[in-house]
Amino acid sequence: MRHPLPPAEPPPGDGPVPVVDFQIAHGGPFYELQRRVGLLHDQALASGRRAIVAVALAWGVPLVLSALAGHAVGPYQDRPFLADLGAWARFVIGIAIFFAMERMVEERLRHLHRRMVDAAILAPRARADAAQAAIRALRRRNSALAEAVCCVLAFAISAVAALGIDADSPQWLAQPDGTGFHLTPAGWWCLLVSNPLFLFLILRWSWRHLVWGLLLRDIASLDLRLVASHPDGVGGLAFVGDYPKAFAAFVFALSCAVAAPLAYGVLRGGIELKVWSQVMAIWLVLVALAFAFPLAAFVSPLGRLRSETLAAASALATRRERAVERDVLGHNIMATQDAEPSAAADIADPAKCFAAAGKLRTFPLRKATLLPVGIAALLPLVAVGATQLPIRELLKIARGLLL
């Protein structure tokens, strides 16, 4: 049974349009499957319990299979299962976080969405369109096609990764034979269950982040009651730029998965500080761009607000200062033939509006907002780099990138 969507049409009459309850962690075939088998229900996501079940499937089963084959423990250079950083990063840290973060992400995005449609920034006549935008977002969230594509891609990437098995692969994953390497039972489980589950969760959350981004773009196109002199410096939209904080745990899990395979390269061949700093910078830029994309939709309305406020304030300032000139000198120096009877006292001083518009930021994202996400992105890379490089230098580089 699918989740019923909110009514697609606003109620008749002139009554208030209800706020659509935007729940990013609900809905979709994977959610419905878990609900049917009793792992969750509509009023309780039971993220902790589902995280334990998923980690048991993705990491616990290969551990048992590796132990039975004698590959669970051993010399570090053989990369037995319990010493495999990649397995820990993907199948324990990653999968556990992808489930555990659901409630936090949902509550924060839910609060931000409600604040956007409840706050004074949305014109009353735009509330019905905002409700329609949320309904479209929920339909995208529930898309069976989107999750099917995520599933197919997850299995495809897992299969392609299996083609790259060689002598450097962990012994628990594959063993040499006469012609090459064959997968162990644990390796087959990893190929068919563990890796696809991990990749599916990444792709599914990436899709849902895109759903949120498209919702923001829809809202940005509506009639917004922005004001250049708002004390937040972004026309009243600063709170929208806080949303990346909700995904800090997701970024940390991804960074662990990225850092784990890099760790083996660092331990085998070493790494130069300059190269590692470039790796950190590139990864941080990619993460920042992922979160900047949804907020870029507000650049246009904020840019229009800035330019039109400056133009209006400039015109009013011209009228006021010409009135001051007449009061002081008795006439205007330029365009003296124009009839301008207004006195300076009758015209409001637009100086504050002009100054505020000049300082208005047209992108609702600050470094301080990205700081938790940036720390989550760089922390695993700093930890890996510290095995071969001076920790003080790495922290100095990280601090420079973040600040």
Side-chain angles (χ1 to χ4, degrees):
M1 178 177 178
R2 293 179 61 85
H3 259 332
L5 289 172
E9 299 295 335
D14 298 325
V17 177
V19 176
V20 176
D21 193 17
F22 184 75
Q23 296 177 298
I24 194 67
H26 286 66
F30 186 60
Y31 174 90
E32 289 298 328
L33 174 63
Q34 295 173 89
R35 191 174 65 83
R36 286 176 180 272
V37 299
L39 289 174
L40 56 77
H41 53 84
D42 293 346
Q43 303 305 317
L45 290 172
S47 299
R49 179 176 64 195
R50 291 186 295 123
I52 292 172
V53 171
V55 170
L57 286 172
W59 185 81
V61 173
L63 172 61
V64 172
L65 294 174
S66 297
L68 293 175
H71 300 148
V73 295
Y76 180 76
Q77 60 269 22
D78 292 336
R79 291 172 63 184
F81 187 81
L82 287 175
D84 190 341
L85 297 178
W88 282 98
R90 297 193 306 273
F91 308 146
V92 178
I93 297 174
I95 288 179
I97 286 178
F98 295 151
F99 281 99
M101 72 183 217
E102 288 182 345
R103 180 173 296 280
M104 178 187 68
V105 175
E106 181 165 273
E107 288 303 318
R108 291 191 179 183
L109 297 190
R110 193 178 184 185
H111 170 74
L112 286 174
H113 175 254
R114 185 171 293 273
R115 186 173 174 185
M116 277 190 288
V117 298
D118 277 349
I121 64 167
L122 191 65
R125 59 182 172 276
R127 288 176 63 85
D129 291 333
Q132 292 296 318
I135 291 169
R136 286 195 299 274
L138 292 178
R139 287 178 178 145
R140 294 182 187 119
R141 179 202 69 181
N142 293 344
S143 171
L145 176 61
E147 291 202 0
V149 170
C150 291
C151 187
V152 170
L153 284 175
F155 277 99
I157 295 171
S158 179
V160 170
L163 297 177
I165 291 175
D166 55 23
D168 290 328
S169 300
Q171 67 170 208
W172 69 265
L173 184 69
Q175 289 288 302
D177 54 28
T179 58
F181 293 86
H182 68 271
L183 290 173
T184 63
W188 278 108
W189 185 271
C190 180
L191 170 67
L192 298 175
V193 178
S194 305
N195 268 336
L197 176 60
F198 171 73
L199 293 166
F200 172 75
L201 292 174
I202 290 178
L203 294 169
R204 182 173 180 264
W205 268 113
S206 298
W207 166 250
R208 295 195 172 209
H209 176 252
L210 179 60
V211 167
W212 169 255
L214 293 173
L215 174 60
L216 290 185
R217 298 184 77 85
D218 285 344
I219 291 176
S221 67
L222 301 179
D223 192 8
L224 303 179
R225 300 170 64 186
L226 307 178
V227 56
S229 56
H230 196 285
D232 71 0
V234 202
L237 289 173
F239 71 93
V240 180
D242 287 339
Y243 98 84
K245 295 178 183 178
F247 287 91
F250 179 70
V251 171
F252 179 77
L254 283 181
S255 295
C256 288
V258 169
L262 294 177
Y264 294 110
V266 170
L267 293 174
R268 283 199 306 267
I271 189 74
E272 293 182 5
L273 185 63
K274 181 179 179 180
V275 173
W276 198 246
S277 66
Q278 291 172 347
V279 170
M280 293 166 62
I282 291 171
W283 176 239
L284 187 62
V285 168
L286 291 175
V287 170
L289 288 176
F291 292 109
F293 164 73
L295 296 173
F298 293 99
V299 170
S300 178
L302 286 170
R304 188 169 66 253
L305 171 69
R306 186 177 188 275
S307 61
E308 292 182 7
T309 301
L310 285 172
S314 178
L316 187 59
T318 298
R319 288 182 53 210
R320 189 176 190 280
E321 294 308 314
R322 283 178 62 82
V324 170
E325 186 181 61
R326 287 194 303 274
D327 291 345
V328 175
L329 303 179
H331 65 280
N332 292 123
I333 302 302
M334 302 295 292
T336 56
Q337 69 276 16
D338 291 348
E340 298 176 90
S342 300
D346 298 331
I347 304 175
D349 186 0
K352 290 184 178 180
C353 286
F354 190 89
K359 297 177 182 178
L360 180 72
R361 291 185 291 113
T362 58
F363 198 84
L365 189 63
R366 298 171 294 129
K367 274 192 173 182
T369 300
L370 279 177
L371 186 60
V373 176
I375 292 173
L378 294 184
L379 188 59
L381 295 180
V382 169
V384 168
T387 60
Q388 297 291 315
L389 300 170
I391 184 65
R392 288 188 178 182
E393 292 298 323
L394 288 170
L395 291 175
K396 182 178 178 181
I397 292 170
R399 185 165 55 248
L401 291 172
L402 294 172
L403 303 178

